[in-house]
């Protein structure tokens, strides 16, 4: 793969660290856990969306856009980071917020919602759960066109093949770090949501013949639905990245056992995971993605799916800003 041929903005400060988690590993008593710190990338709090936005915003600029239009849930990290990238590029940004849990939108809420205002969003529009988000975003772009401006629509999570290249690059980055550390990982684990992160990791690790399996932990969909979503995106992203060999369906594995009652709704496992990592390693997870993904990792270590002696690399995709919208969930 030659990712250098794609236009890209520079939103990272070099490579994100890979750190061994000795106290967390000891608390679990099984496989050895490492974390790749994509939670402290770049700017405005960091997180996985910045890797995708490097490619997607470069395309927006190439097309002469003056406004980024995107959408997400009411506490969307993706919306925060797209808005921050817009500001960094001197662009405007409009957001469509999907109220996936009825009644969950609160204009005065903290967390990412607070940051939308602080970062200077031009407009936010709240829509009901289940709304066709692409259509709503296109309406904004049409409205902008009618007044002589140029909007660029970024899909939810920046999860299109171009955005997924950010995680192909991350896979290549972690392989080179692994080589330098003289540490070979047996598994890579990440939250699987709008799919771009999971997709990019699969394409990058498979496309480089690393033989490192990726385990996706679902945050919303059932197992089959998520695996199909990711696999569809894997095929398109592999074609874009120039991977010559066919990536088999078996390269996409998701666990749906940690979603609980639904997207963004707390689970006991998520609360345990957030507190355990905070209290053993001083690292903050988030309630919606990495907390549930880590709950999955913890359970899979305890069950022996990840075995003692194996090295498991967890991709910390960010999101701790949302903790401040969940204060009551975490009080002891
Ligand atoms: C968006 C997000 C994810 C999920 O990544 P996808 O590429 O959408 O699957 C995971 N963690 C955090 C913190 C996120 O904001």
């Amino acid at each position: 793969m030659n990712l250098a041929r794609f236009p890209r903005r520079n939103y990272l400060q070099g490579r994100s660290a890979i750190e061994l988690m000795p106290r967390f590993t000891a608390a679990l008593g099984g496989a050895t856990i490492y974390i790749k710190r994509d939670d402290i990338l770049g700017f405005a709090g960091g997180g996985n969306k910045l890797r995708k936005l490097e490619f997607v915003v470069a395309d927006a600029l190439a097309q002469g856009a003056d406004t980024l239009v995107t959408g997400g849930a009411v506490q969307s990290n993706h919306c925060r980071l797209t808005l921050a990238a817009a500001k960094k590029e001197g662009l405007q940004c409009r957001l469509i917020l999907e109220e996936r849990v009825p009644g969950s939108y609160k204009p005065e809420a903290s967390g990412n919602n607070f940051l939308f205002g602080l970062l200077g969003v031009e407009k936010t529009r709240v829509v009901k759960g289940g709304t066709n988000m692409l259509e709503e975003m296109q309406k904004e772009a049409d409205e902008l066109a009618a007044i002589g401006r140029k909007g660029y629509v970024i899909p939810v999570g920046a999860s299109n093949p171009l955005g997924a290249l950010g995680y192909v690059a991350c896979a290549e980055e972690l392989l080179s770090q692994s080589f330098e550390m003289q540490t070979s990982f047996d598994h890579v684990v990440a939250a699987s949501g709008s799919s771009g992160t999971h997709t990019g990791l699969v394409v990058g690790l498979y496309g480089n013949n690393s033989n490192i399996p990726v385990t996706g932990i679902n945050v919303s969909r059932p197992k089959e639905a998520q695996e199909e979503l990711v696999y569809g995106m894997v095929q398109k992203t592999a074609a874009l990245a120039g991977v010559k060999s066919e990536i088999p369906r078996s390269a996409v594995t998701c666990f749906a056992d940690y979603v609980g009652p639904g997207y963004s709704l707390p689970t006991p496992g998520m609360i345990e995971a957030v507190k355990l990592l905070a209290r053993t390693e001083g690292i903050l997870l988030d309630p919606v993605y990495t907390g549930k993904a880590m709950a999955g990792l913890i359970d899979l270590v305890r069950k022996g799916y990840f075995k003692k002696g194996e090295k498991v690399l967890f991709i910390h995709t960010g999101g701790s800003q949302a903790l401040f919208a969940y204060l009551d969930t975490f009080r002891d």
Side-chain angles (χ1 to χ4, degrees):
M1 277 177 277
N2 175 17
L3 299 181
R5 66 197 167 88
F6 295 94
R8 178 169 58 88
R9 303 300 293 162
N10 230 311
Y11 295 160
L12 316 180
Q13 291 145 340
R15 310 188 300 182
S16 69
I18 293 180
E19 299 172 347
L20 171 65
M21 299 291 130
R23 292 179 187 280
F24 185 66
T25 295
L28 298 182
T32 305
I33 312 303
Y34 293 76
I35 296 185
K36 185 161 173 60
R37 302 295 308 276
D38 277 16
D39 57 317
I40 43 179
L41 292 177
F43 49 82
N48 63 339
K49 302 311 178 309
L50 285 180
R51 288 193 187 269
K52 307 186 205 182
L53 289 166
E54 283 201 320
F55 290 90
V56 173
V57 177
D59 188 51
L61 292 171
Q63 295 192 26
D66 56 42
T67 307
L68 302 181
V69 179
T70 196
V74 297
Q75 280 290 337
S76 168
N77 301 302
H78 164 68
C79 286
R80 162 177 44 93
L81 291 169
T82 301
L83 168 58
K87 294 292 133 178
K88 196 174 170 63
E89 303 289 5
L91 308 176
Q92 300 278 24
C93 180
R94 294 186 173 195
L95 301 174
I96 308 289
L97 301 179
E98 184 188 4
E99 198 178 33
R100 296 186 193 172
V101 179
S104 62
Y105 178 71
K106 300 201 173 53
E108 73 289 357
S110 182
N112 285 305
N113 179 72
F114 165 75
L115 295 172
F116 300 157
L118 182 73
L119 287 160
V121 69
E122 185 188 12
K123 175 179 175 188
T124 55
R125 187 154 60 79
V126 182
V127 298
K128 281 210 288 278
T131 300
N132 183 326
M133 293 294 280
L134 265 181
E135 257 174 34
E136 295 301 322
M137 293 187 274
Q138 191 54 49
K139 274 189 211 163
E140 289 299 324
D142 294 344
E143 192 184 301
L144 288 166
I147 55 171
R149 287 172 53 184
K150 190 162 166 56
Y152 179 94
V153 172
I154 299 177
V156 170
S159 283
N160 55 17
L162 198 56
L165 291 182
Y167 270 85
V168 178
C170 177
E172 296 191 336
E173 177 178 307
L174 79 84
L175 288 173
S176 107
Q177 288 171 300
S178 155
F179 176 74
E180 286 166 21
M181 295 163 73
Q182 302 187 30
T183 300
S184 178
F185 297 110
D186 299 291
H187 296 275
V188 167
V189 179
S192 194
S194 67
S195 84
T197 302
H198 188 173
T199 293
L201 290 170
V202 169
V203 172
L205 292 175
Y206 196 94
N208 283 290
N209 299 309
S210 70
N211 289 319
I212 305 174
V214 180
T215 301
I217 310 288
N218 297 3
V219 296
S220 54
R221 295 181 192 82
K223 177 179 168 69
E224 291 303 321
Q226 186 69 18
E227 289 184 348
E228 284 306 315
L229 177 71
V230 174
Y231 189 54
M233 193 70 79
V234 161
Q235 288 169 301
K236 289 184 207 142
T237 304
L240 180 65
V243 176
K244 293 281 183 279
S245 57
E246 174 86 8
I247 300 182
R249 172 65 177 74
S250 58
V252 177
T253 305
C254 289
F255 285 83
D257 311 299
Y258 311 100
V259 175
Y263 174 79
S264 79
L265 298 172
T267 64
M270 178 281 286
I271 295 168
E272 184 204 5
V274 170
K275 288 185 176 174
L276 185 61
L277 191 69
R279 293 170 189 184
T280 54
E281 302 286 354
I283 293 176
L284 302 177
L285 294 169
D286 84 283
V288 180
Y289 297 94
T290 54
K292 287 184 180 174
M294 191 62 94
L297 180 148
I298 291 170
D299 189 54
L300 293 169
V301 168
R302 287 179 179 155
K303 282 179 173 158
Y305 178 88
F306 300 135
K307 295 176 186 60
K308 204 173 175 94
E310 287 188 328
K311 296 187 177 72
V312 178
L313 179 62
F314 180 84
I315 312 294
H316 188 339
T317 43
S320 65
Q321 294 73 18
L323 285 171
F324 302 100
Y326 284 76
L327 300 183
D328 291 337
T329 302
F330 293 101
R331 291 195 214 282
D332 284 319

